[in-house]
Structures are given as C-alpha cells and as structure tokens.
Amino acid sequence: MFTAGFSELGSEQGRQLERQIATAARQKGIRLIGPNCMGLYYPKTRLTFGIDFPKESGSVGYIAQSGGNSIYGIREAATRGLYFSKVISYGNACDLNESDFLEYLAQDPETKIIAAYIEGIKDGQRFLKVLRQATRAKPVIIFKGGTTEIGLKTAASHTSAIAGSDRIWHSLLHQLGAIQVHSIEEIVDVALLFIYMSPPHGKNIALLGTGGGASVQAADACSNAGLAVPTLPAEIRQRLKDILGLEAGNIFINPLDLFSRNKQGVIEQAIKVIANYDQIDLLLMHIQLGISAMHEQNIEAFAAYTEAIINLAKQINKRTAVVLSSLASVESKQIASEWQSRLYKAGFPVYPSVHSAANAISKFIQYHHRQ
C-alpha cells in the first residue's frame, strides 16, 4: 500500500486509520506491505516500482523501511555493478514487517546476501531470533537509521518507527554477526566484496596509486581502518626499479606510485611483481583522473593504468579492489564512469575513494574472521 497519512503522522486519527486498514486486511485473509511504502521490486519477473530500474537480477536481497532509500539503493548499486534478487520497501509495517522479510530472505535460494535499512522494529524478541537465524545462513548487512535524538524523532514521523539507541544496536549486531554500516553507499561498498572477492588470508595490503600526496592519504586511510601496509623488502623494490627506472619521482616502498609511467606493459610488469609477493594478501589500485592543461597525457596515462588492471584480471593471484576517483570537471567524471563499468565487468569491485574501500575491506575481513 503506497498511500501515506497514517501512523507516521503521530496523530490518533492516523493510528486509528492504520488499525482499521490492518483489521480489514486480516478479516479478508490479505497480507499487507505498508502503508506508506514503495512495495516490491523483483527484476526476474519484471515487477517494479521504478520503470527505469535495471532488469538484471543479482544475488542481494534488500529490505528498506524507507521508500526513498530503496529507490536510491537500487540506482546507486546499479552504477557499481551490483544487482538485486528482491527489494522490499515496507514503510509503516502495519502487518508484514522487517522480521517477516528477513526470515523470508534468509530462506530464499535466489538471495545470497541480505541488506537492510531499518528505522525501528515491531517485535524485539522475534527480530532477535530471526536475525540470529539469518546471520547463520548468509551475510547480513544492516544500516540502522534513527540512532540519534533528532534521528529518533525523524524516524517516528517518517514511518512511525520505534527506534533504539546506537549503543544497543551496535552491541546486538556485533553479537549476532551482522555487519553494521552507516549509509546506503556503505551497504553497496560491503556487498560488492561478497560478490567480487573471496575472503583474503590476512590484512596485509599493497597500495598501487597515483601521486605522493594521494599515496600518503591512502596509507592513512588503510591504517585507520585496521589494515596493515607493510614496507616492501629491498628485493622487491629493486625489481620495481629495474622495470620502472629511477626511483626519483616514484614511490616503491608501499604505497607505490606507478602512475608516472603511461606504458601499459611496464605497469603490468610492476603489478605482477607485487601480486606475486607472498607477504601481501590484497591489492588496492588507486586511479585518479583530473582534467588539466595536460589533458591528453592525463587521459593516456589513466587509460594505460586501467587497461593494465583489466588485462591482468585473470592473472593476478591476489584479492584486488580498485579506487577510481575523478577530479576537476564533468568531463573527467563521465570518462571515469565509463571505465568503472569496464572494471566491474572485468570482476573488480570499484570504489569512489580509498577511505570507502579500506572501510569495506576491513569489515569484510572482520566478518570472515568471526565466521
């Protein structure tokens, strides 16, 4: 039931109308999703509440108490190569609620990963039981909205949700093995790894990036996320010097600045050296595109680096993610978007920043460690 104007208003009249609707549905043997929701998106059967939504099916099941967050989640995911088995927008949940949908997705053979945006829950004890069962069956990623005082008030006026404190939710999700995130974008960040990456053996990461300043920031982001950025030994550094030439203008210690060379073959050789080093568990490739006076040269180097990564997709023996950031102009963002599509089609999870990639990788590793 799409219509709004019920218990989310906070008025007795709104609550009474909602009770009357729920009673009428029960008397006729009808189950109800809503009111105040978008309903169902099931791409396999072309059932949708957005005519421009992707027709591709995926393996992520997504429940969202917010209609807007369900729409945004579908569109954001599609731009990054992530598609859904089912999406359920359920609003005020006067009949079927988050526990029903979580229980369903936990048993759904078309769903391998569960994601949820939840503002409040109807039955705490049942939710606890269902979530425990779901996390034992599949990865569960949860974004809990309404954890601050103002957020609680907003949630109540949005979907009549009875929310709860952040401390309680954090403890609950941690104990039951669910992955807590704090944005729709982060849901996509984490889910991508379950689609595109097998669990790494450790948390040692090599950063292959662009520019000295960007490399420093990348190292900080990974370290702050709990990942290890080990210094490469002299032997590996010498092999890189042999391939790339002088160390001046480059960084060979980890992070590595390889972007000053725009020959694809040279870049591929350097990546292989790092990928074959047994003390590294993951690779994070950072590609940055900025339109400047060096327009053609910049695009040429960007293309060479990206082509090298795509060309090595089946040869790199390490778990690999790509950060693709664009600067300065609309043109650069359009070019980056085209390359992002090529990268995820080649099997790489792609991120807009090192921070988002490092945060997702850390949570991915922590999840498998707990498992």
Side-chain angles (χ1 to χ4, degrees):
M1 185 174 184
F2 176 83
T3 309
F6 299 94
S7 61
E8 79 280 1
L9 298 178
S11 66
E12 181 54 37
Q13 181 184 17
R15 287 189 286 269
Q16 184 176 349
L17 279 171
E18 189 167 297
R19 285 194 294 267
Q20 290 174 357
I21 290 168
T23 299
R26 279 194 294 272
Q27 288 175 346
K28 298 297 182 181
I30 296 171
R31 304 312 303 267
L32 182 62
I33 299 176
N36 186 28
C37 73
M38 298 303 298
L40 301 173
Y41 166 55
Y42 185 12
K44 183 178 180 180
T45 63
R46 300 297 187 261
L47 176 63
T48 182
F49 50 84
I51 59 172
D52 61 339
F53 285 173
K55 294 180 173 60
E56 295 92 336
S57 291
S59 58
V60 180
Y62 177 37
I63 65 173
Q65 198 157 1
S66 160
N69 279 344
S70 63
I71 294 169
Y72 177 67
I74 293 166
R75 289 178 173 153
E76 168 69 12
T79 66
R80 300 176 63 189
L82 184 71
Y83 300 99
F84 294 97
S85 56
K86 285 107 176 171
V87 177
I88 306 161
S89 162
Y90 63 95
N92 293 6
C94 75
D95 177 26
L96 293 169
N97 60 47
E98 62 286 334
S99 294
D100 295 303
F101 303 127
L102 189 59
E103 186 174 56
Y104 169 79
L105 291 176
Q107 301 174 37
D108 176 29
E110 295 177 341
T111 297
K112 307 302 180 186
I113 302 146
I114 301 171
Y117 169 78
I118 296 173
E119 291 177 0
I121 53 176
K122 295 291 185 180
D123 182 339
Q125 290 300 316
R126 183 179 175 219
F127 180 78
L128 185 70
K129 177 182 177 182
V130 169
L131 180 58
R132 179 179 288 112
Q133 293 171 341
T135 56
R136 288 173 177 172
K138 300 169 184 180
V140 179
I141 306 164
I142 294 182
F143 172 23
K144 172 64 178 67
T147 56
T148 64
E149 183 178 353
I150 188 64
L152 293 172
K153 293 178 182 178
T154 306
S157 64
H158 180 214
T159 57
S160 74
I162 301 174
S165 76
D166 185 55
R167 182 182 301 175
I168 292 172
W169 272 91
H170 175 78
S171 298
L172 170 69
L173 298 179
H174 180 75
Q175 289 177 28
L176 296 186
I179 302 169
Q180 184 177 20
V181 298
H182 298 92
S183 68
I184 302 300
E185 294 87 348
E186 197 181 357
I187 287 178
V188 178
D189 288 344
V190 175
L192 280 172
L193 294 172
F194 285 97
I195 301 295
Y196 288 104
M197 188 181 289
S198 56
H201 300 300
K203 58 181 182 178
N204 286 344
I205 190 166
L207 303 168
L208 289 76
T210 61
S215 295
V216 171
Q217 294 175 55
D220 285 343
C222 289
S223 182
N224 289 334
L227 303 174
V229 188
T231 300
L232 296 176
E235 176 189 351
I236 299 296
R237 292 171 65 183
Q238 184 58 54
R239 292 178 65 186
L240 291 172
K241 290 178 187 178
D242 294 340
I243 294 169
L244 298 169
L246 294 175
E247 195 166 3
N250 295 290
I251 304 173
F252 291 161
I253 59 172
N254 193 21
L256 297 99
D257 175 12
L258 306 180
F259 202 56
S260 62
R261 302 293 186 271
N262 60 8
K263 294 183 178 178
Q264 182 180 331
V266 171
I267 296 171
E268 288 183 20
Q269 291 180 54
I271 292 173
K272 286 180 181 180
V273 169
I274 307 304
N276 290 328
Y277 178 45
D278 59 8
Q279 296 302 308
I280 293 296
D281 303 301
L282 303 111
L283 300 181
L284 184 59
M285 312 287 193
H286 184 199
I287 314 171
Q288 199 171 68
L289 177 64
I291 302 299
S292 67
M294 301 293 289
H295 178 86
E296 293 298 330
Q297 293 92 327
N298 187 278
I299 292 179
E300 183 180 338
F302 176 87
Y305 197 176
T306 311
E307 284 283 12
I309 295 170
I310 293 172
N311 197 44
L312 291 174
K314 296 181 179 180
Q315 300 179 47
I316 298 175
N317 63 344
K318 291 289 189 300
R319 282 72 174 166
T320 304
V322 178
V323 172
L324 189 59
S325 57
S326 55
L327 307 171
S329 72
V330 172
E331 183 182 358
S332 69
K333 294 183 185 300
Q334 290 174 341
I335 294 171
S337 177
E338 294 169 4
W339 282 101
Q340 176 176 284
S341 178
R342 291 191 60 189
L343 283 162
Y344 75 66
K345 287 177 181 177
F348 295 104
V350 182
Y351 295 87
S353 70
V354 174
H355 172 80
S356 60
N359 177 63
I361 290 169
S362 179
K363 291 188 176 185
F364 183 64
I365 291 173
Q366 289 173 27
Y367 170 82
H368 286 289
H369 179 72
R370 288 198 304 268
Q371 291 296 101

